[in-house]
Amino acid sequence: MAGWSREDFFYGCYLDLDPACIISVNAPAELAKWCFVEARPLPNIFVIGDTSFADEMPLMCLEYPFLARIIKGGGFDFDRGTLRGPVYLVGEPARIDAHAEVLRLAFLGPERADYRRWNVDPEIGEQLLRESESFRLGDAETGASFPLDYFIRRVPFVDREARIDALGLRIAHTAHDCYDILRGDARERVALGPQGRRLPYYELPRLDHIEQPHHFRVVAVGTDSGMGTRGGTTTFLLELAGELILFDCSPYVTKILHANGVSLKQVRGCIITHIHGDHAEDVVALALNGHKRMEIWATREVWRSLLVKVACYLGKPEETAAQLFIHREIRPGFDRFGESVDINGFDCAFFYGVHPIPSVGVRISQLGRHVFTISGDTALGAKLMELADAGVISEARRRFLMSMPEDGLCLVDVGSAIIHPNLEDLEGFDWRFVYIYHRSELPAAMVGRANLALPGQSFARRRMGMAAMDACLMRQFLDSLGIENRHRWSIIFAGMAEEQYVEPGHLIIEEGSDKTESVYVITHGEVEVRIGDETVARLERGDHFGEESLFRQSLRNANVWARSDVRLLALPRELFLRMTREDEQRETAISERSVFGRLERLWRNRRLLADVFALKRLSATRRHELALECEAIEATPGQVLAKKNARDRDVYVLVSGVLEVDMGGGRKHLCKPFSIVGERTAIGQIKARSATVRVLEPSTLLRIPGDSFCRLYRSVPALRFDIDEMLEKRRSRARRG
């Protein structure tokens, strides 16, 4: 299409037709930042693609491009108080409504009906509503706030075509994630897929001394604003008694953690201050982590708003979104700190900020001593004075928020935007204790006076000894092997193991090598296991490798590469074998309960499980656990694995061969290798088998105890999500006949 510029993103496309037609088919996280950096106009037409998310990222992150278009891109005339041009949402009606609901909650904030539906205390709801209304754009003459539909136009597909007559534009939905953009006689074809550039555009930050365990510290993962152009947006990583808690979950946080060798296994959960995209966009990736359900600390209204966002991104009901997390409700104060929440022995007292939507900050203390405060997004200074004078907030509230810096460090939002404070609003703060965030640079006049929080920077550090962490990881490693005297051996290994540090790209083990003097346990970082050109596993903190060739006295059977900075404990061969010989005095060498027997089962089963699509997102640790509980069986033609109406609950993975699933009434289908059967009874969807499963030709299967499968299904959201998707596709095929 002559004269139109185009940029393809991962499952997204940006088309610049002319000033009136800037189209984004899907909108990757931080698209607005990319537009600012590349000096591209912000889209005013958003086409919602069919695929909701991929690579653990939502593909339609509409909120910030919309806000940027309205606030910073000239969409709204602030002098006249009028809209220059609407934003068009194009897609299937239900998808449009879901994204519009996210926009409403993030742009305007919850309404009175929302607070009532969510059972929020009426006094709290009314106060939060007054504050939201004070930030809303409204009619200059009447003062009435504009509703969301003043800013957007909903353009649903009708007979697979959407028309925007005011712009002379037609968008045809030709196939799954495929569109024709038509204007006059010109046509541009868009087929979304994994091709094209991936955001973010900036280099991921290195986190300061992240491999060292700490009793307490705060690490800045990102400190820029949602519309800044220098780097990732605001998220902090709290380390409390050696365990990690995220403070907000901005775009690409999980990628930053992985790039720095931090396993999501180490992360207990996330404090969500509010649902703006620069603080909560990566929460889907956090949920589908392959390890466990993450805990979410949030107020009731923030939690319910977050569920609306997650449900929209996944294309699922809010009830499904809620099952991905464990909600820990917090109760902030307005003019004082709210109820203290104990997190790993630290007292976390929350307070409401003043923001267009409900938002909180936190004060962290231990044994009555203030350690750290993070303001969260909140107005300060002149805006608080204006709101106090107007009776929107109390004078006590204003004084409380202006008294944040105490005898400990304080991170303060100074975003210098319409809804954020300016540096002048911090007059009277003691700069010795204050670091500012939500911006990437300081004005020249403030350099040397104010402290700017930088990505990767650590604050208020109190280190722990490495030996304690190493002994803990050794104990977990020996637990997985079933060692009886694990306490003694964990201390021995922690003291005798050789500590090794390797950089990204380093080859730790070479395929075909005869060097088999060590077994390795990862204490920090991520490694990739490759056989030839195929990646067969990614291992992280607490995982181990190198034991198979040691036991079999064979050459190394894979390459192992460092994907990040990695710290390893290399366990001496002779010491490891001595431990196994001691174990074999209890069990015979061929026993499944001996170390060698358990490892044989692990090596055999984990390779087979790796090819099961529905289990792909299980972490290596979880797949390891499952492999140890599987039993390999050889089945003969005619053998019945499951009988209709029976109440047994085992799950079967077909490795090779063919199975017939007979549901009765002439309804039958065949199962191909790496299919799963029997999972519905295991997870409790049905009480008895719905079909008879019969072997048609010699087959190899893995039998998974139903209780083990159900436990994983309930505790690992990524597995639950993929199994539910698999079952929904089966039901769709059955409905189609």
Side-chain angles (χ1 to χ4, degrees), residues 90-91 155-158 160-164 169-173:
V90 180
V155 187
F157 285 116
V158 178
R160 303 187 69 82
E161 184 175 275
R163 304 175 66 96
I164 305 177
L169 190 71
R170 289 183 298 136
I171 301 171
H173 189 188

Side-chain angles (χ1 to χ4, degrees), residues 471 474-475 478-479 483-493:
M474 283 296 111
R475 176 66 180 259
L478 298 177
D479 274 345
I483 298 297
E484 184 177 79
N485 203 345
R486 55 186 68 101
H487 176 71
R488 177 166 63 87
W489 280 105
S490 65
I491 295 172
I492 292 171
F493 279 136

Side-chain angles (χ1 to χ4, degrees), residues 645-713:
N645 297 324
R647 291 180 176 267
D648 59 303
R649 300 176 60 237
D650 289 345
V651 176
Y652 295 90
V653 175
L654 179 62
V655 177
S656 64
V658 178
L659 303 178
E660 177 190 70
V661 179
D662 184 353
M663 294 168 282
R667 295 176 300 154
K668 298 179 181 181
H669 69 264
L670 301 181
C671 288
K672 298 180 179 179
F674 299 107
S675 300
I676 297 179
V677 294
E679 69 292 326
R680 293 178 66 200
T681 49
I683 63 178
Q685 279 196 0
I686 54 178
K687 292 182 178 180
R689 300 288 194 187
S690 61
T692 295
V693 180
R694 187 176 289 107
V695 179
L696 293 188
E697 60 182 53
S699 300
T700 300
L701 302 106
L702 290 176
R703 185 183 65 82
I704 306 172
D707 288 343
S708 300
F709 190 86
C710 184
R711 185 171 60 250
L712 273 180
Y713 173 83

Side-chain angles (χ1 to χ4, degrees), residues 102-241:
V102 173
L103 280 184
R104 180 182 72 82
L105 292 172
F107 181 43
L108 302 176
E111 298 290 353
R112 185 173 289 108
D114 297 312
Y115 290 119
R116 287 175 178 168
R117 186 172 71 254
W118 299 337
N119 293 319
V120 175
D121 182 285
E123 290 186 15
I124 293 174
E126 287 300 314
Q127 179 59 39
L128 294 173
L129 182 59
R130 281 196 297 272
E131 292 170 19
S132 291
E133 289 174 339
S134 71
F135 284 93
R136 292 177 183 173
L137 300 177
D139 188 287
E141 295 182 0
T142 67
S145 299
F146 293 127
L148 179 67
D149 284 342
Y150 176 77
F151 301 94
I152 68 172
R153 300 292 181 271
R154 305 175 195 226
V155 187
F157 285 116
V158 178
D159 295 328
R160 303 187 69 82
E161 184 175 275
R163 304 175 66 96
I164 305 177
D165 293 332
L167 302 176
L169 190 71
R170 289 183 298 136
I171 301 171
H173 189 188
T174 57
H176 184 84
D177 276 336
C178 294
Y179 305 88
D180 282 356
I181 314 296
L182 303 106
R183 199 174 192 203
D185 296 329
R187 179 191 302 262
E188 179 81 353
R189 290 191 167 158
V190 174
L192 303 182
Q195 72 279 1
R197 76 159 70 192
R198 297 194 184 203
L199 295 177
Y201 60 86
Y202 48 82
E203 184 178 347
L204 300 181
R206 289 180 63 86
L207 306 183
D208 182 33
H209 299 295
I210 196 65
E211 75 284 353
Q212 296 283 342
H214 286 71
H215 179 66
F216 176 82
R217 70 168 158 180
V218 179
V219 182
V221 180
T223 58
D224 205 355
S225 69
M227 298 185 194
T229 59
R230 297 295 181 88
T233 51
T234 300
T235 288
F236 299 102
L237 187 64
L238 312 179
E239 188 166 5
L240 307 178

Side-chain angles (χ1 to χ4, degrees), residues 284-594:
V284 171
L286 187 69
L288 302 179
N289 62 81
H291 291 287
K292 58 187 175 184
R293 290 173 72 194
M294 291 288 181
E295 297 176 51
I296 297 291
W297 288 268
T299 62
R300 183 171 301 185
E301 66 278 358
V302 170
W303 165 246
R304 293 300 300 268
S305 299
L306 182 71
L307 292 184
V308 172
K309 172 172 272 195
V310 173
C312 171
Y313 286 166
L314 294 179
K316 301 292 181 183
E318 289 178 39
E319 294 77 12
T320 301
Q323 292 170 350
L324 301 177
F325 307 99
I326 301 169
H327 177 217
R328 306 294 188 198
E329 186 172 348
I330 59 176
R331 295 178 173 83
F334 282 103
D335 56 7
R336 59 180 60 86
F337 295 110
E339 291 180 18
S340 182
V341 176
D342 182 286
I343 304 179
N344 291 5
F346 287 83
D347 297 314
C348 299
F350 295 89
F351 56 91
Y352 279 111
V354 177
H355 205 49
I357 64 175
S359 178
V360 302
V362 65
R363 179 185 190 269
I364 303 171
S365 59
Q366 191 173 44
L367 300 176
R369 179 174 160 229
H370 173 217
V371 180
F372 212 89
T373 299
I374 307 177
S375 72
D377 282 17
T378 182
L380 293 170
K383 183 66 176 179
L384 290 185
M385 185 68 76
E386 173 193 324
L387 294 177
D389 289 344
V392 175
I393 65 171
S394 66
E395 176 60 21
R397 178 98 182 277
R398 185 194 72 81
R399 288 197 305 269
F400 171 72
L401 288 173
M402 292 301 294
S403 68
M404 273 186 289
E406 300 178 64
D407 56 339
L409 289 177
C410 184
L411 283 159
V412 181
D413 163 27
V414 188
S416 295
I418 295 173
I419 59 174
H420 294 280
N422 296 304
L423 280 163
E424 295 79 7
D425 292 321
L426 270 65
E427 285 299 325
F429 280 33
D430 189 334
W431 289 109
R432 294 176 302 165
F433 299 119
V434 173
Y435 280 81
I436 62 176
Y437 69 88
H438 234 313
R439 62 186 303 139
S440 56
E441 58 186 359
L442 291 171
M446 296 299 294
V447 174
R449 180 184 173 198
N451 303 304
L452 182 65
L454 300 173
Q457 186 175 1
S458 287
F459 305 91
R461 296 183 295 180
R462 286 192 221 153
R463 285 194 176 183
M464 295 172 63
M466 278 288 196
M469 181 188 74
D470 290 347
C472 181
L473 288 173
M474 283 296 111
R475 176 66 180 259
Q476 294 172 13
F477 167 57
L478 298 177
D479 274 345
S480 72
L481 298 181
I483 298 297
E484 184 177 79
N485 203 345
R486 55 186 68 101
H487 176 71
R488 177 166 63 87
W489 280 105
S490 65
I491 295 172
I492 292 171
F493 279 136
M496 296 296 293
E498 178 190 355
E499 183 182 45
Q500 295 183 7
Y501 287 90
V502 295
E503 297 179 346
H506 178 79
L507 181 62
I508 303 167
I509 287 179
E510 184 176 6
E511 188 174 4
S513 170
D514 61 357
K515 296 181 179 179
T516 58
E517 64 275 5
S518 298
V519 175
Y520 298 93
V521 176
I522 304 169
T523 68
H524 174 82
E526 185 179 75
V527 305
E528 184 173 82
V529 182
R530 297 183 201 161
I531 298 178
D533 295 330
E534 181 186 3
T535 298
V536 296
R538 287 181 178 172
L539 308 177
E540 52 193 6
R541 175 187 167 97
D543 293 330
H544 57 88
F545 59 92
E547 77 287 342
E548 186 170 357
S549 57
L550 184 150
F551 265 101
R552 297 191 188 282
Q553 298 182 10
S554 61
L555 301 179
R556 296 293 193 183
N557 60 8
N559 290 315
V560 181
W561 296 85
R563 285 177 52 85
S564 67
D565 288 323
V566 175
R567 179 179 180 266
L568 300 166
L569 292 181
L571 311 184
R573 172 193 176 100
E574 290 305 319
L575 199 59
F576 190 78
L577 292 176
R578 185 182 302 174
M579 176 194 69
T580 62
R581 285 194 294 269
E582 179 184 287
D583 181 70
E584 287 167 5
Q585 292 175 4
R586 297 184 300 112
E587 310 287 346
T588 64
I590 60 171
S591 169
E592 285 273 316
R593 293 172 57 191
S594 70

